[in-house]
Amino acid sequence: MSSTRPRKRFGQHFLTDGNIIRKIVAHVAPAAGEHFIEIGPGQGALTFPLLRRHGELTAIEFDRDLHAPLQAAAREHGTLHLVQGD
């Protein structure tokens, strides 16, 4: 996904450290049959690894400008149910 600068007015901070991402996904340990909701997926740093491990995820993102790129990039990883909201 293309790099979008975080917007201060939304209080955005995008996770980029691959080591931290791997540790979080390993700790969450998504298993078949579980339902996951991610709040503020941003650019998909956690979203895509979770989709690859689990296959399906619901995410709630406030920033409308992130929706189309996030949805498009997620297709190759699994099924993303993206909700625009706060």
Side-chain angles (χ1 to χ4, degrees):
M1 191 168 154
S2 66
S3 180
T4 302
R5 296 183 62 85
R7 294 181 186 194
K8 288 183 181 181
R9 71 176 189 244
F10 292 151
Q12 292 175 328
H13 299 274
F14 296 140
L15 181 59
T16 59
D17 186 321
N19 193 38
I20 298 296
I21 293 165
R22 281 188 292 281
K23 287 179 180 180
I24 292 170
V25 173
H27 184 73
V28 171
E34 294 179 319
H35 187 78
F36 285 91
I37 298 175
E38 181 181 13
I39 308 298
Q43 297 179 321
L46 278 174
T47 309
F48 304 146
L50 286 170
L51 282 172
R52 284 192 296 273
R53 291 241 349 231
H54 189 266
E56 187 172 358
L57 174 73
T58 298
I60 302 169
E61 176 57 59
F62 182 74
D63 188 346
R64 288 178 285 176
D65 292 341
L66 295 174
H67 275 241
L70 186 60
Q71 193 73 61
R75 286 187 187 109
E76 66 186 73
H77 303 286
T79 303
L80 177 64
H81 305 283
L82 190 56
V83 177
Q84 198 275 319
D86 188 10

